[in-house]
Amino acid sequence: MPALDPVLAEGSANIYYQFARLQSLSEWWHWLVLMGLCLAIAAYVAWMYRKDSVELPRGLAVLLFTLRLLAFLGVLFFFFNLEKRAERKIVKNSRAVLLVDTSQSMGLRDSDSSNVPAAQSRIEQVEQELARGTLIEKLREKHDVIVSRFDEGENPVEIASYPRTGTKDQSSETQQTEPQRLDAMLVEARWTAAIAGGILGLGLIAGLVYLVAEARPVAGEQTSWALLASMTLFIAAAVVFAVASLRTPEIIPLAIVGLAEVKPQSEATNSSPGQKDELQPPQVDWAAQLAPRGSKSRIEDNLKFVIDRERVGPVAGVVLFSDGRVTPGKDCDLAVQAAQDALIPVFTVGLGSEKRPANVRVVDLEAPERVYPDDTFTLTGYIQAQGTNRTNFTVELLAGDQDGKNETKEDERTIDVGSAGKVEPIKFELKPDVQGIRQFRLRVKPLEGEIDRRDNEKTAKVEVIDRKTKVLLIAGGPMRDFLFLRNQLFRDKEVISDVWLQSGKPGISQEANELLFKFPETEDELFAYDTIAAFDPDWEQLDDKQVEMLDRWVAEKAGGLVVVAGPVFTPQWSSRRRGDPRIDTIKAMYPVSFYFQGAATLSLGRFGSDKAWPIQFTRDGLEAEFLWLGEDAIHSEQAWQQFEGVSGYYAVKDPKPGAKIYARFSDPDTAIDKELPIYMAGHFYGSGRVFFMASAEMWRINEVDDTYSQQFYTKLIRWAAEGRLLRDSSRGVLLVDKDRCSLGDQIAVRAILQDAQHLPLTLDQVQATLVQPDSTRQTLTMKRLKDDAREGTYVDQFIALQEGDYRIELQHPSAGDQLLVREVRAKIPAAETEAPERNDPLLSDIARKTGGDYFVGMAAAMGTGRAGLVNLIKPNDQVTVLPGTPDRSFERLLMGWLIGLICGVLCVEWLLRRLSKLA
């Protein structure tokens, strides 16, 4: 995007001339002394020439006196020091700031008061106007335009900036090229030179008269007057031509008389950068930039930030596009007060409906992805009613085959949703009796007269499997987290756990299905595992073949690897420099990069501290369901906040490209370059998943609840093993980085494909289909990763812009009978939907108190006439006049002409005196 100059938006120069010496002649006696000297010199010259020219013709005497007097006037002109200055007028362009709310409530699709479903969401109305409307174009005629977005953050994010274009009349006046400017100056200089030429012609005529008269045998007094006239005209012609040259210093004298060409000083001046930017406005993907992604709408903080930033500049107004839903429960008094103090009007554009139509909907249906026969599991639905006083609704749970056929009613209940807008959960306990994939459909009976019934049901698929998860547990030593997890897995009837305690000796006993004393040596042994959990492992005990098998198990067989750092073995192998193929391969699998030099690396970490510090989760961490300690994100966040924290961590350098940071160690003293240390991170490695944790201290969370440690590791191991269980075919797997997301989230899609010979697929790209919640289809072009070590991996991504279920379908390019499918559900947080009506009181109050205006809807804002938004934002250009500085090139040129004039008249005087035989 073109950057707006923060200081100069427009500049114009006023050229003027002044005698610099006049500034120093401030006293009356200065002028008295100067006039006395001038009169004395003039009297002396007159007396001298009167004495010397007694016998000369009067005309010649006057000419000699005039020449000497002109030389003195030249010196006097030099004394007064004529300067050329350019008084520059600096104009900071008026600025119009567009502030767009991208909280998730802006993704809602409204119906108007007549219950007609709207075609566009709230944010799509803004997107359409900015992308294809005239708002920006019209504002640019009088203002620089800055577009920013905001949601749950404290500061807005700038999207694009557009420099002012001006009206067509203004553009034609100001957009003058350098050749055009020089041509205009040349015309002016030649007119002045033509006058000088006319005077020169008269001087030549007078000179010819003098020569003809002088050639007569008897020359009279009259011939001397002809000489006087001729010389005076010559000098006058030189002065006029000098004026022409001084007024156009960019044009050399030869060019003025047509003996040379006029050339611009620089080709770069032919077109200004600003003009190029105006011709090429920034290209913005408005749908991606304005995707509703925030779970909160912090209008006050972001509006106040913009006001504080713009208060010293020429801002004409701030335009706020929002539905006015302030989810944190704050008003906007501080922002309004700041705008009043800064005299900045805020124009608000309210989006959405003022009255939500009567509607009941299924917000979500949560179900485990896979369960085991005869094990009871829970389906949780969320029901919300709006625009109605009715509180009791009938809810049905239906179950059918994978494709939804052969449905039977599993249960039917009545739910009391309480107050309008509140999201109420309803749970169903089920016990599967057959294996396979079952699709469950939760349906709420619609209200009478309800028009939009598409959201009255949600589906979820559950796979009933009789396959147990097989886990290999590795530990460099018997640390506490390892012991907790070992006992937990041994008691879990859904898990088969094998243990390799690297410090153990034959004869020890461990709670495990099988006790190992070395890493698996064959592919059949290793590839049977779904997950490997390694606590401070000594990877140097693996040989080259075993490391290669581990790499293939993760990348090609979708194995899940959970690695936990420790103080003993991790510093030893991670600090090695590149060169050892085994360690390089191990490091490549981790989602983080390591520091070199073991001692220095260890000193950057911390183990065994007396003080615990809370784990600081990132947004990715808060949204990662496998890290939840509870049924939903809110209860999970509350549980983690009760956790006192961990006392140690192993320092790593940076996350790998594509890796996600889930949590950081929160001690501010450990920050490096203002970044807290990474505590949890994960990424895809080929078709498998790798999760890194910086220390083994999850046993501490049992102090909050003695089931939390078990929940944490159970969900983590199932998440890591997900790739193994999601393999749709022996020749490929389709993965997404999250199957539940919030509106506006970016979803990464990854496919690992093999050809008919079970070798990595080598096509440059494959085509997948994204079926959106509104049933429209979009093509995803998945491109092959250019990584020789990970052949056959294809990636793409999309942004969830609609609430509901997304379905990704990939037809295997070399196996037409194999369709790889994944589903992602996008939802809006309950806080954003419980009160989705447009907040007219807040938006109108902001506009009224700040001197702006409130518009209901984009159509009202873009209305024509004096009441339209564009016409109400008055220009507020900030003009600053800078005093000019002396033009040094003009000074040099002036001195050259003065020296030429003084020397010329003195030379002519000397020549005439010699011809007249004077001393």
Side-chain angles (χ1 to χ4, degrees):
M1 67 184 67
L4 298 181
D5 191 326
V7 178
L8 302 182
E10 180 182 332
S12 59
N14 178 33
I15 306 298
Y16 66 97
Y17 300 87
Q18 69 176 21
F19 287 104
R21 189 67 64 184
L22 297 180
Q23 306 298 322
S24 59
L25 299 177
S26 57
E27 302 294 337
W28 64 270
W29 58 268
H30 292 165
W31 289 98
L32 184 61
V33 172
L34 179 63
M35 292 176 63
L37 288 174
C38 292
L39 291 175
I41 294 173
Y44 172 75
V45 172
W47 173 79
M48 182 185 67
Y49 272 102
R50 182 177 179 81
K51 177 183 176 182
D52 289 347
S53 58
V54 174
E55 299 178 358
L56 295 178
R58 185 173 295 275
L60 181 58
V62 173
L63 176 59
L64 291 174
F65 171 76
T66 302
L67 291 175
R68 178 60 64 94
L69 192 60
L70 283 175
F72 172 70
L73 290 176
V75 174
L76 187 63
F77 195 90
F78 172 80
F79 170 77
F80 278 110
N81 188 19
L82 180 66
E83 290 181 341
K84 177 183 178 182
R85 291 176 178 264
E87 183 180 72
R88 187 166 295 275
K89 185 182 295 184
I90 303 302
V91 181
K92 290 184 181 179
N93 285 345
S94 175
R95 292 162 64 90
V97 181
L98 308 185
L99 198 58
V100 184
D101 184 352
T102 56
S103 62
Q104 295 186 27
S105 65
M106 292 289 287
L108 293 175
R109 299 175 185 272
D110 298 277
S111 298
D112 59 21
S113 57
S114 61
N115 286 339
V116 178
Q120 292 179 314
S121 68
R122 301 170 181 183
I123 197 64
E124 285 173 347
Q125 298 175 47
V126 184
E127 292 171 11
Q128 181 176 7
E129 178 56 41
L130 296 182
R132 294 179 291 278
T134 60
L135 176 60
I136 292 180
E137 179 183 349
K138 289 183 177 179
L139 285 175
R140 290 182 67 192
E141 293 178 359
K142 299 179 180 179
H143 318 272
D144 290 338
V145 181
I146 297 91
V147 185
S148 300
R149 59 176 169 83
F150 74 95
D151 40 60
E152 61 189 20
E154 295 183 359
N155 301 334
V157 178
E158 184 174 319
I159 299 174
S161 56
Y162 298 84
R164 183 172 69 180
T165 57
T167 62
K168 293 182 179 179
D169 292 339
Q170 292 172 336
S171 300
S172 63
E173 291 176 5
T174 58
Q175 294 180 0
Q176 186 182 43
T177 63
E178 180 70 7
Q180 291 174 338
R181 188 181 69 88
L182 291 177
D183 287 344
M185 294 174 62
L186 182 61
V187 170
E188 179 185 354
R190 284 181 173 173
W191 272 106
T192 307
I195 296 174
I199 297 173
L200 180 63
L202 293 176
L204 290 174
I205 293 173
L208 288 174
V209 171
Y210 168 73
L211 293 176
V212 171
E214 188 70 20
R216 292 179 179 180
V218 180
E221 179 73 21
Q222 294 79 6
T223 58
S224 63
W225 294 106
L227 178 61
L228 172 62
S230 175
M231 296 306 300
T232 303
L233 290 171
F234 284 159
I235 295 172
V239 170
V240 172
F241 189 79
V243 170
S245 177
L246 288 170
R247 288 179 59 84
T248 57
E250 296 93 336
I251 302 175
I252 61 176
L254 290 178
I256 295 177
V257 298
L259 299 178
E261 293 183 0
V262 179
K263 295 182 179 180
Q265 294 179 353
S266 173
E267 295 296 331
T269 60
N270 290 342
S271 60
S272 65
Q275 293 171 357
K276 293 180 180 179
D277 287 342
E278 292 171 8
L279 296 175
Q280 299 178 355
Q283 300 299 315
V284 180
D285 184 351
W286 291 109
Q289 289 292 340
L290 298 181
R293 51 174 62 84
S295 61
K296 299 177 182 178
S297 179
R298 304 182 67 166
I299 294 179
E300 181 181 46
D301 293 334
N302 287 273
L303 182 57
K304 187 175 184 300
F305 178 88
V306 171
I307 297 298
D308 291 341
R309 182 187 65 189
E310 300 289 343
R311 66 170 55 245
V312 296
V315 62
V318 177
V319 184
L320 173 66
F321 298 91
S322 176
D323 54 15
R325 304 316 310 179
V326 188
T327 47
K330 293 183 178 181
D331 52 29
C332 293
D333 290 346
L334 292 178
V336 169
Q337 184 62 49
Q340 290 174 335
D341 295 341
L343 300 178
I344 297 176
V346 180
F347 301 86
T348 53
V349 180
L351 300 164
S353 174
E354 80 285 358
K355 182 179 180 181
R356 190 76 168 175
N359 183 54
V360 60
R361 68 181 189 131
V362 179
V363 177
D364 198 5
L365 177 60
E366 295 180 347
E369 292 187 5
R370 60 196 61 83
V371 296
Y372 297 89
D374 299 324
D375 277 0
T376 301
F377 68 95
T378 301
L379 285 172
T380 304
Y382 297 89
I383 312 298
Q384 183 185 45
Q386 294 172 324
T388 179
N389 295 325
R390 181 178 166 185
T391 59
N392 294 320
F393 297 91
T394 301
V395 179
E396 297 176 329
L397 179 65
L398 308 173
D401 299 336
Q402 179 177 357
D403 55 4
K405 297 179 180 180
N406 302 320
E407 281 189 331
T408 59
K409 184 183 292 187
E410 294 285 333
D411 200 351
E412 180 177 318
R413 295 186 195 174
T414 299
I415 182 174
D416 185 352
V417 297
S419 60
K422 183 179 180 182
V423 178
E424 192 68 26
I426 182 171
K427 296 186 178 182
F428 299 88
E429 299 289 336
L430 300 176
K431 189 174 183 179
D433 53 3
V434 294
Q435 296 186 33
I437 298 177
R438 302 282 289 169
Q439 177 174 286
F440 294 90
R441 182 160 61 100
L442 185 65
R443 181 173 64 192
V444 59
K445 290 187 177 180
L447 291 165
E448 183 178 353
E450 184 177 350
I451 293 180
D452 189 2
R453 303 189 179 190
R454 293 174 300 174
D455 56 3
N456 287 74
E457 60 182 42
K458 282 285 191 295
T459 61
K461 292 181 179 179
V462 177
E463 183 179 9
V464 184
I465 59 175
D466 195 19
R467 177 183 179 278
K468 295 184 178 181
T469 303
K470 191 169 184 180
V471 180
L472 173 58
L473 196 58
I474 303 174
M479 56 181 60
R480 190 174 297 188
D481 257 30
F482 160 74
L483 298 176
F484 268 90
L485 183 56
R486 179 201 64 185
N487 297 338
Q488 171 188 330
L489 296 179
F490 184 69
R491 294 192 300 266
D492 192 338
K493 61 181 181 179
E494 299 175 1
V495 175
I496 299 174
S497 60
D498 295 342
V499 172
W500 177 30
L501 180 61
Q502 293 179 296
S503 62
K505 304 296 182 183
I508 65 170
S509 63
Q510 295 284 327
E511 286 75 5
N513 177 69
E514 183 178 352
L515 183 60
L516 306 181
F517 292 96
K518 58 183 177 180
F519 194 79
E521 295 183 332
T522 67
E523 292 183 352
D524 292 340
E525 293 174 349
L526 179 60
F527 292 178
Y529 292 105
D530 298 308
T531 304
I532 295 177
F535 293 84
D536 194 17
D538 181 9
W539 293 119
E540 295 184 277
Q541 292 191 27
L542 277 62
D543 60 27
D544 293 343
K545 180 182 177 182
Q546 291 171 323
V547 170
E548 181 185 356
M549 286 195 308
L550 177 63
D551 181 78
R552 288 189 55 211
W553 173 77
V554 177
E556 299 176 12
K557 303 303 178 182
L561 180 61
V562 177
V563 286
V564 182
V568 180
F569 296 107
T570 303
Q572 294 179 11
W573 60 263
S574 67
S575 62
R576 289 193 178 184
R577 295 187 177 274
R578 294 181 61 87
D580 187 333
R582 294 179 306 155
I583 301 304
D584 291 345
T585 302
I586 293 294
K587 287 183 179 180
M589 287 187 279
Y590 276 64
V592 293
S593 57
F594 295 93
Y595 290 101
F596 294 121
Q597 303 299 333
T601 306
L602 184 58
S603 65
L604 291 173
R606 177 192 297 173
F607 290 98
S609 173
D610 294 333
K611 183 177 180 180
W613 288 88
I615 298 173
Q616 186 180 99
F617 283 91
T618 64
R619 178 177 177 179
D620 286 328
L622 292 173
E623 294 177 351
E625 295 187 23
F626 69 93
L627 296 176
W628 286 0
L629 298 178
E631 296 180 352
D632 53 40
I634 296 177
H635 291 92
S636 175
E637 187 173 358
Q638 292 173 351
W640 282 110
Q641 287 174 353
Q642 297 177 48
F643 180 38
E644 184 177 337
V646 295
S647 61
Y649 71 98
Y650 182 75
V652 295
K653 190 175 181 182
D654 295 302
K656 297 276 185 67
K660 288 187 175 181
I661 300 176
Y662 295 113
R664 294 181 180 273
F665 189 73
S666 64
D667 182 1
D669 293 337
T670 61
I672 299 177
D673 294 333
K674 298 182 180 180
E675 287 282 358
L676 294 172
I678 298 173
Y679 191 80
M680 295 180 185
H683 73 161
F684 281 116
Y685 185 73
S687 60
R689 288 170 167 168
V690 182
F691 180 84
F692 166 83
M693 190 159 61
S695 70
E697 298 183 66
M698 286 300 105
W699 59 269
R700 295 178 182 271
I701 203 168
N702 284 342
E703 297 173 359
V704 180
D705 189 305
D706 57 11
T707 64
Y708 280 172
S709 177
Q710 180 177 341
Q711 281 190 50
F712 175 80
Y713 278 115
T714 297
K715 291 182 177 181
L716 178 59
I717 287 175
R718 287 180 177 177
W719 172 81
E722 194 172 65
R724 297 273 290 181
L725 302 176
L726 292 179
R727 293 180 68 85
D728 300 304
S729 130
S730 60
R731 291 169 55 185
V733 60
L734 183 63
L735 301 170
V736 292
D737 62 342
K738 59 178 77 172
D739 53 16
R740 298 276 176 140
C741 70
S742 297
L743 209 63
D745 280 357
Q746 186 169 275
I747 310 300
V749 184
R750 172 179 292 246
I752 294 86
L753 305 175
Q754 296 177 338
D755 59 18
Q757 288 73 40
H758 293 276
L759 297 174
L761 198 66
T762 57
L763 295 176
D764 289 334
Q765 62 185 34
V766 296
Q767 300 289 334
T769 300
L770 176 66
V771 184
Q772 303 185 96
D774 61 359
S775 300
T776 59
R777 291 176 172 264
Q778 175 182 335
T779 299
L780 295 180
T781 302
M782 305 185 68
K783 297 183 179 180
R784 180 167 57 91
L785 285 179
K786 304 298 183 180
D787 184 356
D788 295 336
R790 293 278 71 82
E791 289 291 338
T793 300
Y794 297 81
V795 296
D796 199 4
Q797 58 191 18
F798 69 92
I799 297 176
L801 300 177
Q802 301 179 25
E803 182 186 13
D805 294 330
Y806 287 82
R807 178 182 173 91
I808 304 105
E809 300 176 348
L810 174 60
Q811 191 78 47
H812 198 295
S814 59
D817 59 336
Q818 296 185 10
L819 180 67
L820 308 182
V821 178
R822 280 296 159 266
E823 292 185 351
V824 177
R825 175 164 294 173
K827 60 181 182 179
I828 300 176
E832 289 285 288
T833 60
E834 288 180 355
E837 298 83 7
R838 186 181 66 241
N839 192 347
D840 288 333
L842 174 68
L843 296 175
S844 61
D845 192 56
I846 293 174
R848 178 177 54 83
K849 290 183 177 180
T850 61
D853 209 340
Y854 177 44
F855 302 90
V856 178
M858 292 300 301
M862 295 307 299
T864 58
R866 298 178 61 184
L869 174 63
V870 173
N871 293 326
L872 289 177
I873 303 178
K874 302 301 181 182
N876 187 32
D877 293 345
Q878 192 176 82
V879 181
T880 304
V881 178
L882 298 180
T885 56
D887 187 336
R888 298 305 176 190
S889 61
F890 171 83
E891 182 180 352
R892 288 192 295 270
L893 187 60
L894 175 62
M895 293 302 105
W897 280 106
L898 276 178
I899 292 173
L901 177 63
I902 295 171
C903 294
V905 296
L906 290 177
C907 288
V908 172
E909 181 198 9
W910 177 83
L911 179 62
L912 292 177
R913 287 178 65 88
R914 295 293 292 177
L915 293 176
S916 302
K917 299 179 181 179
L918 296 178

